Amino acid sequence: MTQSGFAVNGLSAGYRGRKVLLDVSIETIPSHSLVALVGPNAAGKSTLLKAIVGLAPARGEVWLDGDALQRLTPAQRLRRAGYLPQTLPQACSLTAYESLLSALRAGCPELTVQEAEHNAESTLDLLELRPLALRRMDQLSGGQRQMVGLAQVIARQPRMLLLDEPTSALDLRWQVCVLEAVRQLARARGAIALIAIHDLNLALRFCDRVLVLDQGKVLASGTPANFQSDLLEQVYGVEGRLEHCSHGHPLVVVDRAL
Ligand SMILES: Nc1ncnc2c1ncn2[C@@H]1O[C@H](COP(=O)(O)OP(=O)(O)OP(=O)(O)O)[C@@H](O)[C@H]1O
């Protein structure tokens, strides 16, 4: 692959001989894009994100701007693709700002102090986190710590963002703020974001493409407008409908579990 963008070809991964991802391929995702990675529990979403950054053993090709990421070390991959795990950052005695700066210095040692401070401060502004800057991490709520974790990834300004359920601990307002901020990064800086997310309505509302993973395989991939309601039964085992809200956005309504 020589063009810019991100793609995966024939990626398989597993744990101790048990296969979890089976020959996953993702067509080229261009710059400026947000892609939602959806699917039921244990489908392999986290494993896919980890395999991309080299944190889960995998075979296959992962391409970013023509470079084969699988030939790089996990540390080198993490420089290109910022990864937010499902786990929250440590509840330590550092302030949110100190923890952000320290993650930034560890991840981007080439930055001067002024550059690191500038990146940290612009990230706090983007995510509206100034009010938390001087609060200790061990005195923040779970959602607040999740926001700081996201800030740690965004402040490094990676080409690609791999976010594992970045809104799972957040209330309605912060869920929207996070997705708007990631979309702004994609649109303004040309970043690519792959976001594992359970909330189909957020995925359909904010992402350019939705990738449905089920039992370790890509079952469907398309724009939100092409999302098929049959997938609700097939993948999630629920009876549901796809409606459109008064603003025209697709909306998933679940009637019952089957
Ligand atoms: N470290 C591990 N060791 C062994 N098996 C694992 C490990 N991590 C995940 N698995 C297994 O791999 C499968 C896929 O897990 P994964 O976390 O990738 O799914 P997921 O789609 O992210 O699920 P969820 O939506 O519940 O977070 C599951 O069956 C899980 O039990």
Side-chain angles (χ1 to χ4, degrees):
M1 179 186 168
T2 51
Q3 76 265 42
S4 79
F6 171 77
V8 168
N9 190 20
L11 193 69
S12 296
Y15 303 97
R16 285 177 227 99
R18 186 169 154 255
K19 286 189 176 171
V20 171
L21 289 184
L22 308 165
D23 200 22
V24 167
S25 294
I26 303 175
E27 274 177 37
T28 302
I29 302 172
S31 299
H32 306 278
S33 304
L34 262 64
V35 177
L37 180 60
V38 305
N41 291 130
K45 302 179 296 295
S46 299
T47 303
L48 175 55
L49 297 184
K50 286 182 199 163
I52 290 169
V53 281
L55 298 176
R59 294 177 62 181
E61 298 174 355
V62 179
W63 297 94
L64 184 57
D65 299 333
D67 294 330
L69 289 195
Q70 71 275 8
R71 298 205 192 111
L72 306 180
T73 64
Q76 290 169 327
R77 293 193 208 194
L78 285 165
R79 296 299 305 278
R80 306 281 298 272
Y83 166 65
L84 178 73
Q86 262 182 33
T87 47
L88 299 179
Q90 237 188 341
C92 56
S93 61
L94 294 178
T95 66
Y97 185 67
E98 287 166 343
S99 115
L100 178 52
L101 265 188
S102 116
L104 194 47
R105 291 222 189 89
C108 304
E110 76 285 359
L111 292 181
T112 63
V113 173
Q114 288 87 347
E115 286 168 338
E117 287 175 351
H118 176 266
N119 285 9
E121 285 171 27
S122 63
T123 305
L124 289 177
D125 287 337
L126 176 77
L127 296 174
E128 300 181 27
L129 290 183
R130 288 262 180 194
L132 297 187
L134 300 180
R135 301 266 309 274
R136 282 170 51 140
M137 290 293 284
D138 56 7
Q139 294 173 2
L140 297 182
S141 73
Q144 289 171 327
R145 271 199 288 143
Q146 190 171 42
M147 291 295 295
V148 176
L150 179 63
Q152 291 174 349
V153 175
I154 287 178
R156 295 181 193 177
Q157 304 189 339
R159 164 81 170 112
M160 179 158 192
L161 294 163
L162 298 163
L163 309 177
D164 199 347
E165 298 188 29
T167 55
S168 60
L170 304 181
D171 68 33
L172 287 176
R173 181 173 185 279
W174 287 106
Q175 290 173 20
V176 171
C177 287
V178 160
L179 287 161
E180 281 179 345
V182 174
R183 189 163 62 180
Q184 192 179 324
L185 286 178
R187 300 294 188 256
R189 284 195 210 151
I192 297 168
L194 183 57
I195 308 169
I197 190 162
H198 279 296
D199 188 323
L200 290 177
N201 287 323
L202 283 177
L204 294 173
R205 169 83 179 81
F206 284 96
C207 294
D208 305 294
R209 262 172 72 182
V210 180
L211 203 74
V212 183
L213 199 68
D214 189 27
Q215 299 183 40
K217 293 183 184 159
V218 176
L219 201 69
S221 169
T223 63
N226 291 330
F227 188 83
Q228 301 291 320
S229 58
D230 323 356
L231 288 168
L232 298 174
E233 179 172 341
Q234 191 184 349
V235 175
Y236 292 99
V238 297
E239 189 177 291
R241 294 164 279 138
L242 208 56
E243 305 267 338
H244 283 87
C245 75
S246 55
H247 290 191
H249 303 306
L251 207 58
V252 171
V253 180
V254 175
D255 294 314
R256 63 184 182 108
L258 294 168

